[in-house]
Amino acid sequence: MTNKYDVALVGATGAVGEVMLAMLAERQFPINNIYPLASARSVGKQVAYGNQHIEVQDLATFDFAKAQIGLFSAGGSISDIYAPKAAAAGCIVIDNTSRFRYEDKVPLVVPEVNPEAITEYKHTGIIANPNCSTIQMVVALKPIYDAVGISRVNVATYQAVSGTGKEAIAETELQTRALMAGEAVSCDVYPKQIAFNALPHIDVFMDNGYTKEEMKMVWETCKIMADDTIQVNPTAVRIPVLYGHSEAVHLETKQPLSAEEATRLLANAPGIVVMDGRSDGAYPTAVTEAAGNDAVYVGRIRNDISHPLGLNMWVVSDNLRKGAALNSIQIAEYLIKTDI
Ligand code: NAP
Ligand code: 3JN
């Protein structure tokens, strides 16, 4: 690869796309040309990239031979059509949707956990970026898994509305204002009021009673950790936080591990900030620590009083940064650093 790269950004006008643009500039990713792409509705609109404003182009007519790297976040149906086309044109695709995540020949990568899998992209030209809830959880599981093994994970998520996209952020703000003014709310994006509420429902319901968001965490954890024996039992909940997902993670290790040793392992692991003061406010939260920052924050680390191999932790991270844009850009950085 050359020293500077032509990058196509599919879904550039969306919640993830905006953060991608901001983070590419912030991290000084070596860009020659950047092509912000979206639907025909957005053609002619401008998006911010550093101190430049760049016109959005129509994805449908874009020639992917012009780009070496394609960052895709416009939904699975868009990736389904355009990611293989881009890959065939020689553009390496880093896809943020679930479309290719479970395909054997497509690597599913979190750079702190399984960077070695990236080379597998050579089969298809596509690398899949996991779901945001999976990413922050596996970053926190990895140092514990490597030290003592993990047999089971029970997790409840508390997910920000930005995970649903721009319209969901607007709906949450609108409902909050309406309720504060004593007015009725309308529900267009979510099936029930999201403001001041908690919805145990993310993505579609599956035949087994879990939602697809929950099953994504099951499938993706096993694939990323390359271990199908890890039992994962998630409940995914949407809450009216704008940015930053939180997770209460209850795991069972294969060998005993004290909370003190777990804390030491986590504090030395890449991408993690431990904040576990065991006093008022000395734990991380989505709004005060995660939002706008890159780390996966871990706190409330304690042994499970109900199980000899149980360990509990509270894991928070910015869902649009480490959960989407940052993880994709780290994959791209790894590709160019290792020249693969
Ligand atoms: P969003 O705010 O609704 O933005 C959607 C983006 O997709 C916009 O740029 C939109 O362009 C573009 N788009 C929609 N239809 C298109 C079409 N027919 N042709 C070209 N572009 C089209 O959604 P978001 O939150 O950014 O999420 C986008 C996707 O990223 C999701 O569907 C999901 O697959 C993925 N995602 C992944 C994670 C993760 O966990 N890793 C997290 C969030 C999202 P217009 O403005 O022109 O409509
Ligand atoms: O809801 C969240 O907090 C994360 C949402 C992710 C998402 C939203 C729409 C479609 C995905 C994803 O990345 O799993 C998808 C999808 O591509 O399936």
Side-chain angles (χ1 to χ4, degrees), residues 11 13-16 38-39 41-42 73-75 78 96-97 130-132 165-166 323:
T13 54
V16 176
S39 75
R41 295 179 291 273
S42 297
S73 53
I78 303 298
N96 236 300
T97 80
N131 177 271
C132 42
K166 278 185 156 177

Side-chain angles (χ1 to χ4, degrees), residues 45-81:
K45 281 187 192 164
Q46 299 211 323
V47 288
Y49 167 64
N51 52 15
Q52 304 172 49
H53 291 274
I54 306 181
E55 264 193 27
V56 175
Q57 298 182 34
D58 188 356
L59 167 67
T61 55
F62 181 71
D63 174 9
F64 277 97
K66 292 204 279 193
Q68 288 104 51
I69 298 172
L71 301 170
F72 278 60
S73 53
S77 60
I78 303 298
S79 291
D80 183 51
I81 300 167

Side-chain angles (χ1 to χ4, degrees), residues 208-258:
N208 65 0
Y210 284 73
T211 62
K212 192 165 178 200
E213 182 79 356
E214 291 160 353
M215 291 312 296
K216 285 172 182 172
M217 295 183 78
V218 176
W219 300 324
E220 294 174 19
T221 300
C222 290
K223 180 164 176 176
I224 297 162
M225 306 291 277
D227 183 349
D228 284 339
T229 70
I230 305 175
Q231 305 284 314
V232 183
N233 180 37
T235 299
V237 182
R238 185 76 65 197
I239 60 164
V241 158
L242 297 186
Y243 301 98
H245 286 0
S246 307
E247 297 178 346
V249 180
H250 309 115
L251 55 97
E252 287 164 33
T253 54
K254 288 193 174 164
Q255 303 297 323
L257 182 71
S258 69

Side-chain angles (χ1 to χ4, degrees), residues 314-328:
W314 175 249
V315 179
V316 304
S317 195
D318 186 319
N319 53 302
L320 297 183
R321 290 174 78 93
K322 184 56 188 164
L326 172 60
N327 199 71
S328 293

Side-chain angles (χ1 to χ4, degrees), residues 98 130 134 140 224 281 305:
S98 60
T134 310
I224 297 162
I305 53 172

